[in-house]
Amino acid sequence: MPSNPGIMASPRALEQPLSHYNDYPSIAHLVQKLSDNNIQTIFAITEEFQPVYKELKNLIPKSAVGTLSANSSNVINLIIDAYNSLSSEVILENSKLAEGVTITYQSRCKNGVTGEGEMGRKCSNISIGDEVSFTISITAKQCPKMGKPETIKIKPLGFTEEVEIALNFICECDCHKNGIEDSEICHNGNGTFECGACRCNEGRIGRHCECSTNEVTSEDLDKNCRKDNGTDICSNNGDCVCGTCECKKRENPEERYSGKFCECDNFNCDRSNNKLCGGHGRCECRVCICDANWTGSACDCSLDTTTCLASNKQICNGRGTCECGTCKCTDPKFQGPTCEICPTCPGVCAEHKECVQCRAFGTGEKKETCERDCSYFNLIKVKDRDKLPQPGQAFPLMHCKERDANDCWFYYTYAVNNNTEKEVHVVETLDCPAGPDIIPIVAGVVAGIVLIGLALLLIWKLLMIIHDRREFAKFEKEKMNAKWDTVRVDSRQYQAAIFEKFNGDDVFLPV
């Protein structure tokens, strides 16, 4: 990880004690000192100064610009975001090169993305655990003064680790003494073959001295071997021979560079399942040319729609699109491999009720035509409801509960599996209501009648007792209120009085 990420507070903090004592350092000097000290710069500035610092960011590698709020309340989040952005990018840099020495980079980043030239120095969008590789080519066009060894240091910006390369120049060889003049190897004697290479005679150039300087200049040679001014000679994948690129050979004979500028190859195409072009195409100039019925950048998308055909022979049941051999249901209510399952739609259970009933139990309206009309699904019987498939186990399904003509319930599930086959799991036993128990019912009715009769007798007896007590109390009261005259009266008058007293009722009087 970067060793010294931080906010750039003041450029003076990076100055040497005596250098640039009275002035700020130049941007080039600033970049050099930041690199030497492995510092990644985060400019936290307000929005009004954003354009200026964004231009400065382009000049300082591994730097970031964040918008600081007026009260600086977002400074922590700003540093975190900027640090994550900086740490996701790897940029290589090298120390100063000796005169005549050039260095080129070729990167292979995440997901097979490659870069050359200046783009070959860096890889972006890198996460922890990702692996990137860089191919570095160093060319010496001349021997340094005094022929002393040179050292090149290469490291990723912001990191302390570095690679040190020692260059030892062989400027003179003992084999010069044994050179073969006018060798046939050097294009019919146009040079001296020494130390395994041709040293061309005056007026001849090329690897084998096959070109004349009168026909083409050195500048023309390089120009003819570049695709444009921003690319390397022969895309750094070959050698320029007389203005024509000769592509390098690979260790694997199946892998090769091609193209006028060696800009193409047949091994850097997208992969699927760890296979080049998914095993369904060929790689040409870093682009997959797919076989018939295959498409996609890695030829991993099948154009065959047979796997998307529903039972009605429509693609995705007319409610979706077939993409790479798989249905993408456009109607959110439908699901399943062919968009035929609709858990929220009414009538799914009722639609298959008669066929399930006739095949599982041999009953129902379709009993006579069951074999002809109801063979479109696979029937699987289970012992009880707990053995029925549950939602989410494999593929979308519908739980159903239906009743037959005898008021018996039967339970089943309907689903379309991943092979577009319809499956019905049904509980093999019917759930029928039990018949009434006559003896308890009769006993209950008889007991109820007896209890009601006893209750009525008790009520009648209670009312009679109350009535008798009231009459007796009334009689006692009349008896207490009766007034008898002590005068002797005639018996007939007495009887008449008594008769009148009791309203003509028969009364027996003592004589």
Side-chain angles (χ1 to χ4, degrees):
M1 299 302 293
S3 57
N4 288 316
I7 294 179
M8 181 62 186
S10 171
R12 288 190 179 275
L14 302 176
E15 297 180 40
Q16 297 293 334
L18 297 179
S19 65
H20 306 286
Y21 182 75
N22 294 319
D23 196 4
Y24 288 104
S26 65
I27 294 178
H29 186 219
L30 185 62
V31 170
Q32 181 62 42
K33 291 302 179 182
L34 289 171
S35 176
D36 292 343
N37 292 275
N38 294 318
I39 295 176
Q40 298 184 30
T41 312
I42 301 174
F43 295 104
I45 45 88
T46 54
E47 188 173 1
E48 58 181 318
F49 297 108
Q50 285 277 330
V52 176
Y53 279 86
K54 284 184 177 179
E55 292 294 332
L56 184 59
K57 170 186 175 295
N58 295 331
L59 300 176
I60 302 178
K62 294 289 282 186
S63 62
V65 177
T67 304
L68 189 66
S69 60
N71 59 359
S72 301
S73 60
N74 67 330
V75 65
I76 300 299
N77 291 333
L78 184 150
I79 294 174
I80 293 174
D81 294 340
Y83 177 77
N84 290 334
S85 175
L86 291 173
S87 61
S88 66
E89 188 174 57
V90 177
I91 302 177
L92 296 185
E93 67 165 0
N94 54 267
S95 59
K96 186 177 180 181
L97 301 175
E99 185 178 357
V101 177
T102 60
I103 185 170
T104 58
Y105 294 87
Q106 184 178 19
S107 62
R108 185 175 181 84
C109 305
K110 189 176 180 181
N111 298 327
V113 177
T114 59
E116 298 176 355
E118 286 301 315
M119 294 304 297
R121 289 177 174 266
K122 66 179 181 179
C123 286
S124 303
N125 300 322
I126 304 301
S127 304
I128 295 176
D130 291 340
E131 181 177 338
V132 298
S133 61
F134 294 90
T135 301
I136 302 171
S137 300
I138 301 174
T139 304
K141 296 183 179 179
Q142 65 185 46
C143 286
K145 295 179 180 179
M146 306 301 292
K148 292 182 178 180
E150 295 286 343
T151 300
I152 301 176
K153 294 181 179 180
I154 301 174
K155 69 174 184 177
L157 284 173
F159 290 74
T160 57
E161 294 83 358
E162 64 182 14
V163 175
E164 187 173 294
I165 302 174
L167 298 181
N168 294 304
F169 298 88
I170 303 176
C171 298
E172 297 292 336
C173 301
D174 293 337
C175 58
H176 283 177
K177 301 176 182 178
N178 301 319
I180 303 175
E181 296 182 0
D182 302 327
S183 172
E184 292 295 325
I185 298 176
C186 301
H187 201 267
N188 299 323
N190 288 324
T192 300
F193 185 75
E194 56 187 13
C195 299
C198 287
R199 179 167 56 84
C200 298
N201 297 335
E202 186 177 355
R204 304 296 297 185
I205 58 176
R207 176 182 294 179
H208 300 291
C209 307
E210 64 270 37
C211 298
S212 172
T213 55
N214 296 328
E215 298 173 357
V216 62
T217 64
S218 177
E219 293 180 357
D220 292 335
L221 293 179
D222 291 347
K223 183 178 180 181
N224 291 336
C225 291
R226 293 180 187 270
K227 189 174 183 179
D228 51 58
N229 291 333
T231 59
D232 295 326
I233 294 177
C234 297
S235 304
N236 201 32
N237 295 322
D239 299 317
C240 185
V241 180
C242 297
T244 303
C245 286
E246 289 186 2
C247 299
K248 297 177 182 178
K249 303 295 183 180
R250 300 275 297 179
E251 292 182 3
N252 186 350
E254 299 295 329
E255 298 178 356
R256 62 184 180 275
Y257 293 105
S258 60
K260 180 179 179 181
F261 306 100
C262 300
E263 73 278 13
C264 298
D265 62 61
N266 65 343
F267 53 86
N268 273 323
C269 291
D270 290 342
R271 295 174 178 268
S272 177
N273 294 326
N274 203 28
K275 294 181 180 180
L276 192 66
C277 297
H280 302 295
R282 65 186 186 278
C283 181
E284 293 185 4
C285 201
R286 302 182 180 181
V287 177
C288 286
I289 306 299
C290 300
D291 298 337
N293 292 328
W294 291 93
T295 186
S297 62
C299 299
D300 54 353
C301 181
S302 173
L303 297 178
D304 186 7
T305 59
T306 55
T307 57
C308 295
L309 290 178
S311 58
N312 56 8
K313 302 305 179 182
Q314 288 185 333
I315 294 179
C316 299
N317 198 29
R319 297 184 175 92
T321 57
C322 187
E323 299 179 8
C324 300
T326 303
C327 281
K328 302 292 184 183
C329 302
T330 54
D331 191 334
K333 294 189 300 182
F334 289 85
Q335 53 187 261
T338 54
C339 303
E340 292 186 88
I341 301 300
C342 181
T344 59
C345 294
V348 174
C349 294
E351 178 182 356
H352 307 286
K353 171 187 173 181
E354 295 297 333
C355 282
V356 173
Q357 187 177 352
C358 77
R359 287 191 59 183
F361 309 106
T363 59
E365 297 179 0
K366 290 190 177 182
K367 181 173 63 174
E368 302 298 332
T369 61
C370 189
E371 184 175 353
R372 183 191 67 191
D373 298 338
C374 302
S375 59
Y376 60 89
F377 60 83
N378 297 327
L379 183 69
I380 303 171
K381 292 185 178 182
V382 297
K383 292 185 176 299
D384 50 52
R385 295 174 61 185
D386 294 337
K387 297 297 190 298
L388 290 175
Q390 299 301 316
Q393 287 184 349
F395 31 78
L397 54 85
M398 191 69 172
H399 275 265
C400 300
K401 176 184 177 182
E402 297 294 337
R403 185 163 56 185
D404 62 12
N406 298 322
D407 287 336
C408 293
W409 294 96
F410 58 96
Y411 303 88
Y412 66 94
T413 60
Y414 177 82
V416 180
N417 62 24
N418 294 330
N419 296 324
T420 68
E421 296 176 347
K422 300 176 179 63
E423 289 185 356
V424 172
H425 290 73
V426 61
V427 178
E428 60 185 9
T429 56
L430 295 169
D431 186 6
C432 298
D437 196 344
I438 302 299
I439 295 177
I441 294 176
V442 173
V445 172
V446 172
I449 294 173
V450 171
L451 290 175
I452 293 172
L454 291 175
L456 292 175
L457 287 174
L458 290 174
I459 293 171
W460 176 80
K461 183 63 176 178
L462 180 60
L463 293 175
M464 292 300 298
I465 292 173
I466 294 173
H467 179 267
D468 290 344
R469 287 185 178 181
R470 286 181 178 178
E471 290 298 325
F472 181 75
K474 182 178 180 181
F475 173 75
E476 290 291 332
K477 184 177 181 181
E478 291 292 337
K479 181 179 178 181
M480 294 295 296
N481 293 333
K483 296 181 180 180
W484 302 93
D485 294 333
T486 57
V487 181
R488 189 176 181 81
V489 294
D490 186 80
S491 61
R492 292 183 179 179
Q493 293 178 343
Y494 174 72
Q495 290 180 357
I498 293 301
F499 181 80
E500 183 180 358
K501 180 70 175 176
F502 289 94
N503 297 320
D505 294 336
D506 293 334
V507 179
F508 296 96
L509 300 173
V511 180

